[in-house]
C-alpha cells in the first residue's frame, strides 16, 4: 500500500501545492466580502491575530501528524492512536461538503471568464444575481469545474497537482498585484483603503471574531486533515517548522492583496462593502473597465482565480479520494469517480438554493435558517473545521503527546519555537477554539446569561 501512495518530487513542488491548496476562493472571493460585511479593518485585525495564534500552530500540527503516520487523514490519526480515526473522518466529511458548494462558486468563476469577453453590462449586480439564480447554466459550469478537478486528481500526486500549482500560483500573484495597483489609484479609493486597514475597535464584536475564526480555518485549509494528507507525502528531512510559517504567511498576503484589489474599488464606485458573496463578481469587472485592455485583463484575472480555485478543490477532493484508496482499497480512479458524483449532486442543491429552491430552508442550532448553499458554508466553516482543529490540538497535546510530535518535527530541522508551540497547542488553541465554538452555537449565551 505504502509504495503506491506517491511522494512530492521536490520541496518547491510541495510548497506550491500546499500554498495552492490554501490560496483559493477563500482568499480572493470570501476574505474581501467577509471583511466588507464585518467592519473592514476590525475583521482584518482579528483575522491576523488568529492567524498568528492558531494558524501557524495548527498548520505545523497537521503536517507533523501526517508525516509521522504516512497515511490519509483518517488513517493517520488511527495509526497513531487506535480509535482516533474519527478526527480524520470529520475532515473527510468537511472536505466532501465544502467541495460540493465550492465547485458551484468555481463554476461562477468559469462563467465570468467567458462573460469578461462577451460583456457584463452596466448593472453588474443585476447580471450577477440573474446568473446565479438561473436554474440550468450555473449547474453546467459546476459540472465542468467538478469534472476538471476529478481529472487532475485521477492523474495522481506529482503528475497533476504539483505541475499545475507550480505554474499558476506565481502567475496569479503577478496579476493580483497589477489589479491592486489599479484599484488603489482610482479616484475615491482612499476611503476604501482606510476602511480596510484602520480598525474601528468598537466594531470588534463576537460575530466578527466568529467570522474571522471560520475564515482562518477555511483559508489555511485547516481542520480537515488536508495538511495531514499532504504532510504524509513529505520526506523526513523536510523543515516542517519553516513550512508552517511560510504557507500561512503567503496565504494571508494573498488575502490582504485581494482586499486591496476590491475594497478601495467598492468605495470608488459607490458599491456596498456588505454586498456579500457577489462582491468579487460585481466589483472586479468595474475595476477592469477602468483599465486599457480591460476585457483582456478581466478574462485573464478570472482565469487565474479559476486556477487558484482548482488547486484548492484538488486538495479538497484529495482528502476524500485518499480516504477511499487507503481505507477501502479502491483504485484512485474508482474513488474519484464515486465521490465526484456524490459531490456534484449535492452541489446541484447548493446552486438551486440561489434561485428556484431559495425557499427551502434548513433550521440550525444557532436559531437561524439557511438555504442549502449557506448551510454547507456555515456548517463546515464555523463548526466542522474548528471542531476538527480543536480535536487535532487535543490529540497532539494529550493523546499522542507533545514530546512525540516534537521528536517528529526535529527529524527534519531544529525546532526554534518548541516552547511557544507547546504552550499554544496544549492550552491556547484548545481554549480559544472551544470558547468560540460554544459561542457560535449560542450555548455561551445560555451559560453566561
Ligand atoms: N483554503 C482554500 C481556499 O481558501 C479552500 C480549501 C482547500 C479548504 N482545501 C481546504 C478549506 C481544506 C478548508 C479545508 O479557498
Amino acid at each position: 500500500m505504502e509504495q503506491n501512495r506517491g511522494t512530492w518530487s521536490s520541496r518547491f513542488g510541495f510548497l506550491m501545492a500546499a500554498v495552492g491548496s490554501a490560496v483559493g476562493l477563500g482568499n480572493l472571493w470570501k476574505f474581501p466580502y467577509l471583511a466588507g460585511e464585518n467592519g473592514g479593518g476590525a475583521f482584518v485585525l482579528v483575522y491576523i491575530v488568529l492567524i498568528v495564534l492558531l494558524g501557524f500552530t495548527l498548520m505545523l500540527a497537521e503536517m507533523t501528524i501526517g508525516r509521522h503516520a504516512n497515511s490519509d487523514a483518517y488513517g493517520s490519526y488511527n495509526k497513531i492512536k487506535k480509535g482516533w480515526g474519527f478526527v480524520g473522518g470529520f475532515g473527510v466529511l468537511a472536505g466532501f461538503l465544502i467541495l460540493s458548494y465550492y465547485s458551484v462558486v468555481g463554476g461562477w468563476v468559469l462563467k465570468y471568464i467567458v462573460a469578461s469577453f462577451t460583456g457584463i453590462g452596466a448593472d453588474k449586480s443585476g447580471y450577477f444575481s440573474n446568473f446565479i439564480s438561473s436554474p440550468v447554466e450555473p449547474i453546467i459550469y459546476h459540472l465542468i469545474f467538478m469534472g476538471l478537478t476529478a481529472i487532475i486528481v485521477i492523474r495522481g500526486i506529482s503528475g497533476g497537482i504539483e505541475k499545475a500549482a507550480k505554474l499558476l500560483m506565481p502567475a496569479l500573484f503577478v496579476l493580483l498585484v497589477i489589479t491592486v495597483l489599479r484599484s488603489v489609484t482610482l479616484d475615491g479609493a482612499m476611503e476604501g483603503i482606510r476602511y480596510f486597514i484602520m480598525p474601528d475597535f468598537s466594531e470588534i464584536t463576537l460575530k466578527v471574531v466568529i467570522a474571522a475564526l471560520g475564515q482562518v480555518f477555511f483559508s489555511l485549509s485547516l481542520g480537515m486533515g488536508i495538511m495531514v494528507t499532504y504532510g504524509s507525502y513529505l520526506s523526513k528531512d523536510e523543515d516542517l517548522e519553516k513550512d508552517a510559517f511560510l504557507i500561512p504567511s503567503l496565504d494571508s498576503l494573498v488575502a490582504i492583496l485581494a482586499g486591496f484589489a476590491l475594497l478601495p474599488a467598492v468605495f470608488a464606485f459607490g458599491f456596498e462593502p456588505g454586498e456579500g458573496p457577489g462582491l468579487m463578481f460585481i466589483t472586479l469587472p468595474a475595476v477592469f473597465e477602468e483599465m486599457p485592455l480591460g476585457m483582456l485583463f478581466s478574462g485573464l484575472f478570472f482565469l487565474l482565480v479559476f486556477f487558484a480555485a482548482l488547486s484548492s478543490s484538488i486538495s479538497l477532493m484529495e482528502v476524500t479520494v485518499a480516504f477511499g484508496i487507503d481505507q477501502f482499497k479502491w483504485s484512485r480512479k474508482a474513488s474519484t469517480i464515486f465521490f465526484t458524483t456524490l459531490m456534484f449532486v449535492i452541489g446541484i442543491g447548493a446552486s438551486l438554493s440561489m434561485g428556484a429552491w431559495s425557499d427551502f430552508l434548513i433550521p440550525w442550532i444557532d436559531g437561524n435558517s439557511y438555504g442549502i448553499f449557506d448551510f454547507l458554508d456555515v456548517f463546515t466553516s464555523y463548526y466542522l473545521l474548528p471542531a476538527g482543529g480543536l480535536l487535532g490540538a487535543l490529540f497532539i497535546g494529550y493523546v499522542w503527546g507533545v514530546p512525540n510530535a516534537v521528536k517528529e518535527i526535529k527529524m527534519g530541522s531544529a525546532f526554534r519555537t518548541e516552547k511557544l508551540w507547546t504552550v499554544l497547542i496544549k492550552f491556547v488553541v484548545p481554549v480559544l477554539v472551544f470558547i468560540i465554538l460554544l459561542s457560535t452555537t449560542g450555548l455561551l449565551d445560555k451559560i453566561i446569561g
Side-chain angles (χ1 to χ4, degrees):
M1 169 180 116
E2 228 94 299
Q3 60 273 25
N4 61 22
R5 298 190 73 251
T7 49
W8 305 106
S9 66
S10 70
R11 180 181 138 84
F12 182 70
F14 158 74
L15 272 181
M16 284 300 109
V19 172
S21 163
V23 174
L25 294 172
N27 310 59
L28 303 161
W29 163 70
K30 221 176 182 196
F31 181 84
Y33 90 70
L34 284 177
E37 277 178 339
N38 290 289
F43 177 85
V44 177
L45 178 70
V46 177
Y47 181 80
I48 290 175
V49 169
L50 290 178
I51 288 275
V52 172
L53 289 179
L54 308 174
F56 298 111
T57 314
L58 284 172
M59 179 71 68
L60 183 55
E62 292 201 4
M63 292 189 321
T64 305
I65 293 171
R67 192 180 65 177
H68 182 78
N70 196 25
S71 184
D72 68 302
Y74 172 87
S76 287
Y77 282 100
N78 224 19
K79 212 160 165 183
I80 293 176
K81 188 80 192 179
K82 265 239 137 350
W84 275 76
F86 78 95
V87 181
F90 254 60
V92 174
L93 178 67
F96 178 82
L97 295 176
I98 292 174
L99 187 49
S100 301
Y101 80 91
Y102 200 86
S103 166
V104 173
V105 183
W108 299 350
V109 174
L110 275 176
K111 162 74 181 181
Y112 267 65
I113 300 173
V114 180
S116 296
F117 297 104
T118 54
I120 288 166
D123 179 12
K124 300 192 165 48
S125 60
Y127 184 90
F128 176 72
S129 53
N130 272 338
F131 166 66
I132 63 166
S133 61
S134 57
V136 179
E137 209 189 348
I139 293 174
I140 294 174
Y141 281 106
H142 159 52
L143 176 65
I144 300 173
F145 188 87
M146 207 57 150
L148 289 170
T149 306
I151 289 170
I152 299 184
V153 169
I154 285 176
R155 294 191 53 197
I157 280 304
S158 68
I161 302 182
E162 225 184 300
K163 230 176 253 162
K166 259 199 280 212
L167 198 75
L168 299 167
M169 299 322 287
L172 172 73
F173 192 77
V174 173
L175 208 67
L176 190 57
V177 171
I178 296 177
T179 313
V180 169
L181 290 178
R182 174 65 275 198
S183 180
V184 299
T185 52
L186 289 165
D187 274 344
M190 205 48 218
E191 201 188 331
I193 297 175
R194 216 174 291 128
Y195 176 76
F196 186 61
I197 61 175
M198 306 279 280
D200 173 351
F201 289 95
S202 70
E203 294 259 8
I204 302 182
T205 60
L206 190 59
K207 175 176 169 275
V208 171
V209 176
I210 291 170
L213 180 82
Q215 178 62 10
V216 166
F217 279 97
F218 189 92
S219 190
L220 290 182
S221 307
L222 289 175
M224 61 156 282
I226 181 61
M227 292 302 163
V228 174
T229 307
Y230 275 17
S232 76
Y233 304 122
L234 277 175
S235 73
K236 292 289 181 196
D237 55 17
E238 179 74 18
D239 186 340
L240 296 178
E241 186 188 30
K242 206 186 220 166
D243 294 345
F245 176 76
L246 219 64
I247 297 162
S249 305
L250 281 171
D251 186 71
S252 304
L253 179 64
V254 174
I256 304 274
L257 283 175
F260 275 116
L262 295 191
L263 285 163
V266 165
F267 285 81
F269 294 124
F271 295 129
E272 279 298 315
E275 174 67 46
L279 194 77
M280 175 179 82
F281 296 95
I282 295 163
T283 311
L284 268 185
V287 176
F288 289 118
E289 257 172 27
E290 298 295 311
M291 288 165 77
L293 298 177
M295 268 174 21
L296 188 68
F297 270 110
S298 174
L300 206 61
F301 191 89
F302 280 110
L303 188 71
L304 290 171
V305 174
F306 159 73
F307 281 122
L310 198 62
S311 60
S312 300
S313 65
I314 291 164
S315 80
L316 284 162
M317 192 180 277
E318 179 64 24
V319 177
T320 318
V321 168
F323 174 73
I325 296 174
D326 288 349
Q327 300 310 317
F328 303 142
K329 309 283 176 272
W330 287 347
S331 72
R332 177 166 276 276
K333 196 165 173 188
S335 186
T336 309
I337 292 173
F338 177 78
F339 286 118
T340 302
T341 310
L342 278 182
M343 288 188 271
F344 172 64
V345 172
I346 298 175
I348 292 178
S351 182
L352 289 176
S353 74
M354 294 292 173
W357 290 6
S358 61
D359 289 338
F360 175 72
L361 296 176
I362 303 163
W364 183 238
I365 48 175
D366 64 3
N368 297 319
S369 292
Y370 297 100
I372 299 174
F373 184 100
D374 292 339
F375 180 77
L376 290 169
D377 182 18
V378 167
F379 180 54
T380 52
S381 303
Y382 301 140
Y383 295 89
L384 269 186
L385 298 180
L390 173 62
L391 287 169
L394 294 176
F395 179 77
I396 288 199
Y398 305 95
V399 179
W400 186 25
V402 172
N404 288 321
V406 167
K407 212 190 304 163
E408 175 67 33
I409 295 167
K410 283 187 172 164
M411 294 183 93
S413 65
F415 188 14
R416 283 141 298 220
T417 55
E418 178 181 340
K419 286 214 177 68
L420 178 65
W421 187 75
T422 306
V423 174
L424 288 171
I425 198 83
K426 277 190 93 147
F427 307 109
V428 178
V429 172
V431 170
L432 205 62
V433 177
F434 186 68
I435 292 176
I436 301 177
L437 255 177
L438 267 188
S439 57
T440 309
T441 60
L443 278 176
L444 203 59
D445 278 356
K446 289 180 193 119
I447 296 167
I448 301 173

